[in-house]
Amino acid sequence: LELLAGRRTPQEGRVLRAPGLRLGYLSQGGTGTLAAGRSVLEVAEDALEPVRALEAQLRSVERELEAERSPDRSAAALERYAELAARFEAQSGYGASARLAAGLAALGFGAETLARPAATLSGGERTRLELLVALAEEPDLLLLDEPSEGLDLARRRWLA
């Protein structure tokens, strides 16, 4: 898995990936590295940054369309908007926040846990948070090394 994820270099041969492939990877037991000084919710929401950036671009083009008076410029803006909207939808942008909230709840991160500093989580909690982030990023290919380790039956069912 580490070879496929690009974490190791093969001794022989090479690993080929499709251009533009968004690859996610969570090693067994997680990485153990969470941003210091950030809450559980802030770390989880970081996974939505690419979708939020795309949404901000959409809103910017919407404002541009509202202000445009020239048909030529409006046509270009509409084309740009359509392209951004398609990408936003392909990245499941419309339901991203709801899925993240559902994932937090399913993995045992209740309201009382969300404000806690992520650095204070136990090893198992950290791994569950890293699993949630990996899932929320919705990569094209997600490599998980024993993802159900440390999960109870209900959480294993949710993951499946």
Side-chain angles (χ1 to χ4, degrees):
L1 287 177
E2 288 183 353
L3 285 172
L4 293 173
R7 304 269 196 270
R8 287 191 183 185
T9 306
Q11 293 177 358
E12 292 183 34
R14 57 188 174 151
V15 177
L16 300 175
R17 288 180 204 84
L21 176 74
R22 292 179 344 185
L23 182 72
Y25 174 64
L26 182 62
S27 65
Q28 184 179 1
T31 64
T33 59
L34 294 174
R38 309 216 1 112
S39 72
V40 169
L41 183 59
E42 289 170 331
V43 169
E45 286 183 336
D46 283 349
L48 301 182
E49 185 54 39
V51 170
R52 290 199 172 131
L54 197 52
E55 184 176 23
Q57 291 176 11
L58 272 170
R59 302 302 163 240
S60 175
V61 174
E62 285 173 355
R63 288 189 297 277
E64 184 181 322
L65 283 166
E66 289 172 1
E68 286 298 325
R69 302 286 185 245
S70 163
D72 292 339
R73 293 179 78 187
S74 293
L78 278 171
E79 200 171 298
R80 176 81 175 129
Y81 184 83
E83 184 251 319
L84 288 169
R87 285 179 42 208
F88 186 72
E89 189 169 336
Q91 292 182 20
S92 305
Y94 294 106
S97 292
R99 279 191 314 283
L100 183 69
L104 283 164
L107 289 174
F109 296 105
E112 70 286 349
T113 312
L114 298 179
R116 276 180 55 196
T120 66
L121 295 176
S122 71
E125 290 170 324
R126 285 176 187 226
T127 300
R128 290 197 325 260
L129 181 56
E130 290 175 358
L131 174 61
L132 175 70
V133 168
L135 292 167
E137 289 174 345
E138 293 197 346
D140 299 319
L141 176 63
L142 180 57
L143 302 172
L144 302 171
D145 188 354
E146 296 192 35
S148 63
E149 182 181 332
L151 298 181
D152 61 21
L153 184 58
R155 290 183 181 127
R156 285 179 186 198
R157 285 186 179 143
W158 175 85
L159 177 59

